[in-house]
Structures are given as C-alpha cells and as structure tokens.
Amino acid sequence: SAVISQKPSRDICQRGTSLTIQCQVDSQVTMMFWYRQQPGQSLTLIATANQGSEATYESGFVIDKFPISRPNLTFSTLTVSNMSPEDSSIYLCSVEEREQFFGPGTRLTVL
Amino acid sequence: GIQVEQSPPDLILQEGANSTLRCNFSDSVNNLQWFHQNPWGQLINLFYIPSGTKQNGRLSATTVATERYSLLYISSSQTTDSGVYFCAVAGAGSYQLTFGKGTKLSVIP
C-alpha cells in the first residue's frame, strides 16, 4: 500500500489567517481526497483532488474557503483560508488503490 | 446520497471478551471498509470487504451486500483494541467514501 505523509502534523493558528497542508505519496496515484474530522465527529469528505484540473467539492465546501492544488500524481495541498475556531479539526488526505488509505492527519486548532 | 449507520455507538468490554459491531448501509456499494482510529487519530485499515467474509487474527468481518449490512467481530479483546471503529462505503460507480458515525470501544483490564 502507498505510504502517505502530511505536513504539518499539528498547528495552532490565529483566526483570520490561512494554513496550507501538504500531502505526499510515495507512488503515483490517480485519486486523492481530502477529509475533515471535527472534534468527536466522523470524517466528512471535503473534495476530490484532480491532477491537472480543479478539485471537485462536496456540498457545503467551497473553493474560496478550501483551495486545493494537485500539481502531480504524488502531491496535493489543501489550504484552510480565513480561519475561525469552527475550522478546528483534523484534516486527512487519502489515496485510492482499490481501497482507500489515509495519511496521519493534520490536527488544527484555531484560536 | 448513501446513508451509513453503525451500532452500537459506544461499547465497554472487559479484556478477553468478544464483540460484534454492525454497519447498515442504504444502497448498493462497490467499496466497504472497516477502520480503527487509535487514540492518536491515525486511521488504520482493517478490512476491504464489499462482500464476503475475511479474517485477520482476532478480527473478522462479514458483508452481506444483498441485505446491506456488514459485521465486524473482535474476539479476545485487548486494551490496545480501544478506539473508534468506522465503517465507510462508496456507492456503485463512486470512489468517494461515506463514513458512519463510528463505534467507540473501550476495553478495560
């Protein structure tokens, strides 16, 4: 299975600022996804990161708030923009190789 | 979209006991996965099981796709089994996973 890393592993940010999360995979993959897990909750899909084109966002998530880049088949970034305390969550990337495998997550706290 | 329900929401076991976790889903699926989220937040793949039965050590899983449910069995539970168990499915023709709300398992010595 693919080995997935994320940076940063955790961060504490001030409201109104932005944070970019990186996801690196050790092999080329077609499908990459970004999920959010709010405190004590389940995982919710934010978007599918498409290589060479705009990401496909799920209902309730917009590009202005969560811009995503996918410059190649091994890397993607998710930016959380203009943050508020409600954005405090774990953000996880995943890849599809018949089944989905997840990165270790980025734990974000917004003050 | 597809709905996923897990039961029970919480489960407390004595070490050594067995348990069964259930996942019901509302439509045909081409992917069903069970995950264990450990206390550090890492999601660990347990089973990829859109149909049939699989076993891995003390864990086993069965999915009856025609009846739209899956079961995860944990035998001889250990304290390291504690955490949240998630069932996630992708509907026919989709890659996107929809997660259930999870079962929080606490195994006490």
Side-chain angles (χ1 to χ4, degrees), chain A residues 31 33 35 37 41-43 45 48 58 90 92 96 98-104 107, chain B residues 31 33 35 37 39-43 45 47-48 54 86 95-97 99-102:
Chain A
M31 308 293 289
F33 306 93
Y35 290 81
Q37 186 177 26
Q41 304 297 313
S42 184
L43 282 77
L45 179 65
T48 302
E58 298 300 303
I90 301 174
L92 302 102
E96 167 87 17
R98 187 191 69 165
E99 62 185 281
Q100 282 193 28
F101 295 91
F102 284 77
R107 192 178 294 267
Chain B
N31 182 1
Q33 293 183 242
F35 297 92
Q37 188 168 41
W40 296 270
Q42 176 74 51
L43 270 177
N45 288 44
F47 293 103
Y48 166 78
K54 292 185 177 180
F86 288 106
Y95 293 102
Q96 288 86 356
L97 286 179
F99 279 73
K101 293 185 177 181

Side-chain angles (χ1 to χ4, degrees), chain B residues 16-63:
Chain B
N18 303 327
S19 62
T20 301
L21 282 57
R22 187 177 180 102
C23 172
N24 293 332
F25 45 95
S26 62
D27 208 342
S28 301
V29 299
N30 64 11
N31 182 1
L32 188 148
Q33 293 183 242
W34 284 97
F35 297 92
H36 175 213
Q37 188 168 41
N38 64 24
W40 296 270
Q42 176 74 51
L43 270 177
I44 299 165
N45 288 44
L46 297 178
F47 293 103
Y48 166 78
I49 189 165
S51 64
T53 298
K54 292 185 177 180
Q55 180 158 6
N56 184 4
R58 296 181 296 105
L59 303 182
S60 63
T62 295
T63 298

Side-chain angles (χ1 to χ4, degrees), chain A residues 34-93:
Chain A
W34 287 97
Y35 290 81
R36 180 177 74 180
Q37 186 177 26
Q38 295 177 299
Q41 304 297 313
S42 184
L43 282 77
T44 301
L45 179 65
I46 298 172
T48 302
N50 302 309
Q51 195 266 329
S53 64
E54 277 196 2
T56 304
Y57 289 84
E58 298 300 303
S59 176
F61 297 96
V62 295
I63 187 172
D64 290 346
K65 176 67 176 177
F66 298 101
I68 288 170
S69 77
R70 179 86 192 273
N72 56 53
L73 293 176
T74 64
F75 186 77
S76 178
T77 67
L78 168 74
T79 298
V80 186
S81 303
N82 189 25
M83 289 184 286
S84 67
E86 291 71 35
D87 294 318
S88 297
S89 298
I90 301 174
Y91 292 86
L92 302 102
C93 67

